[in-house]
Amino acid sequence: MARDSAASTTVKTFVVCDSGELALAESSGISFSRDRHVQGAIELRLQGVLILGRDEVDTIDALWSLLLTYLENFIAGRQGTFSFPERRFALALKRMPGGAVAVKFADEGMRRSVVLSEKSALRVLTSGAVEFFSAVLRCSPKDEWSYRRDLNTAVRLREELSRIE
């Protein structure tokens, strides 16, 4: 579980097991491959506010890969909305004055948002991606190049954030 210094800022990744129950990705032992379509959810709490929850299930490896691309674009100054690959959910980051960022989740009829430090939000998300892709590479019988690429991207983005004051 990735955690930021703000006590209530965390991200956890869950996968749907064969029993239909959600389990933490790191301890699930599920084998991943890009054609397996493992379902899962990202639970993202920012300053105690649940932004993404266990009900927002999608193909979890595709979700994290696309979220990394979204974060990379955001860090590079391109803002937009991130739509989940298989669902109607959307997540958006919007820069605010004073180094803050608004993080917004939207579903049909449901909206959740919080404003916090940009660095804190990005650090917890990139750390969550590092944890997820590290677990995927530990649990999968073959080291797929795309998972290794995603892990390297997540590590690079997290390191870039640590150098930003």
Side-chain angles (χ1 to χ4, degrees), residues 72-148:
E72 192 168 33
N73 287 330
F74 182 82
I75 291 168
R78 296 181 294 276
Q79 296 188 73
T81 300
F82 169 71
S83 297
F84 282 50
E86 297 176 7
R87 305 289 189 255
R88 63 191 180 277
F89 315 131
L91 181 72
L93 302 176
K94 182 179 180 191
R95 286 193 169 88
M96 307 294 284
V101 65
V103 182
K104 299 177 181 183
F105 171 82
D107 186 5
E108 290 180 358
M110 182 187 327
R111 306 236 185 285
R112 299 184 288 246
S113 65
V114 67
V115 176
L116 72 158
S117 103
E118 180 177 329
K119 189 172 180 179
S120 178
L122 295 174
R123 183 175 26 233
V124 76
L125 285 166
T126 56
S127 293
V130 168
E131 286 182 10
F132 173 71
F133 286 110
S134 294
V136 165
L137 290 169
R138 279 193 307 273
C139 296
S140 297
K142 58 182 183 177
D143 184 332
E144 292 198 21
W145 68 269
S146 61
Y147 293 139
R148 175 71 50 203

Side-chain angles (χ1 to χ4, degrees), residues 22-39:
L22 288 173
L24 284 170
E26 301 87 45
S27 59
S28 69
I30 289 180
S31 176
F32 286 82
S33 70
R34 289 292 185 189
D35 58 354
R36 184 153 184 240
H37 305 287
V38 174
Q39 297 294 294

